[in-house]
Structure formats: structure tokens, C-alpha cells
Amino acid sequence: MRTWAIVFVVLLIAAALLSACSDDPLGYSYKDLPTGDAARGATVFTARCASCHALDEGRGPGPSLAGYGATAGSRVKNQSAADYTFNSILRPSKHLVQGFSNVMPSDYDEKLSRQEIADLIAYLLAL
């Protein structure tokens, strides 16, 4: 009987560790965001993204975002440009650009408000 209790505790701990390491669901999607404003998104970009992502063909730690709005919709089959951008910001390991490592922070869902996320998406899709 005692062996089963130990096995049960070990399984509970393993399940907790696995869930902590998984790509947890956000609980909301792009469709749940308020309407974004590209001008406010430019401010968010400058404050949070410009140190890693160039707006021209320059190379940085992250991929260049030159022409992003025109290409975002074709990056993942059956995924809109807005959904792709939402996932790229909030779960960056989901869509890695070839030639780049997974170094983008994955906690923007905690650091940015939903309005800031919507504004940033509006700005990026206008590029």
C-alpha cells in the first residue's frame, strides 16, 4: 500500500513539472483583442522591439521586419497575418524564422496589456 502512495506522489510531481514546462495556452486569441492602433503600436515597437528587430534589411538578433505586413499572411498555411503575428509575439518559439535562434522573450503576455499587443500587431501589419 505504501508503494502505491509513493508512486502516486511521484506521478503528481512529474505531471506538475511537465505542465510547468509546456507551452501553456494563453486563454485568449487575436480575436479577443481590442481594436489596435498602429500609431500607438509604433511606440510599443520602439520601446520593446527595436533593439532586436530592424525595420530595414539590417541584421540583428531577431529577423528584419522590412515588408512584414506583406509577408506575414503567407508564413504559416491556413493562418492569417494577424494570428501569425499574435502567436509570434506571445509564443515566439511556435514560429521560428530560419537562421534565427529562440531568444525572443516569451512573457510578453505578462509585460504587455492586451491593448498594447493589439496596437503592436496593427503597427507590424502596416509595415
Side-chain angles (χ1 to χ4, degrees):
M1 175 101 158
R2 190 171 189 185
T3 303
W4 285 106
I6 293 171
V7 169
F8 181 73
V9 170
V10 169
L11 288 174
L12 282 176
I13 292 171
L17 288 173
L18 286 173
S19 68
C21 295
S22 68
D23 194 17
D24 64 343
L26 292 170
Y28 65 98
S29 68
Y30 172 74
K31 293 176 179 107
D32 298 316
L33 295 177
T35 301
D37 178 87
R40 288 192 312 249
T43 302
V44 175
F45 179 85
T46 300
R48 300 285 187 159
C49 312
S51 63
C52 293
H53 295 279
L55 293 177
D56 56 17
E57 294 300 325
R59 176 100 173 154
S64 167
L65 298 176
Y68 181 86
T71 61
S74 63
R75 300 288 297 175
V76 176
K77 187 176 180 175
N78 297 324
Q79 193 170 77
S80 71
D83 285 325
Y84 171 77
T85 306
F86 175 87
N87 287 320
S88 294
I89 294 168
L90 299 179
R91 293 296 178 251
S93 63
K94 192 169 186 166
H95 305 303
L96 295 179
V97 174
Q98 186 175 3
F100 291 89
S101 301
N102 184 18
V103 296
M104 185 165 155
S106 60
D107 60 352
Y108 282 124
D109 60 320
E110 298 169 11
K111 292 182 177 181
L112 299 175
S113 70
R114 289 187 186 192
Q115 184 64 62
E116 290 172 316
I117 295 165
D119 295 342
L120 181 57
I121 291 170
Y123 172 70
L124 293 172
L125 293 180
L127 293 177

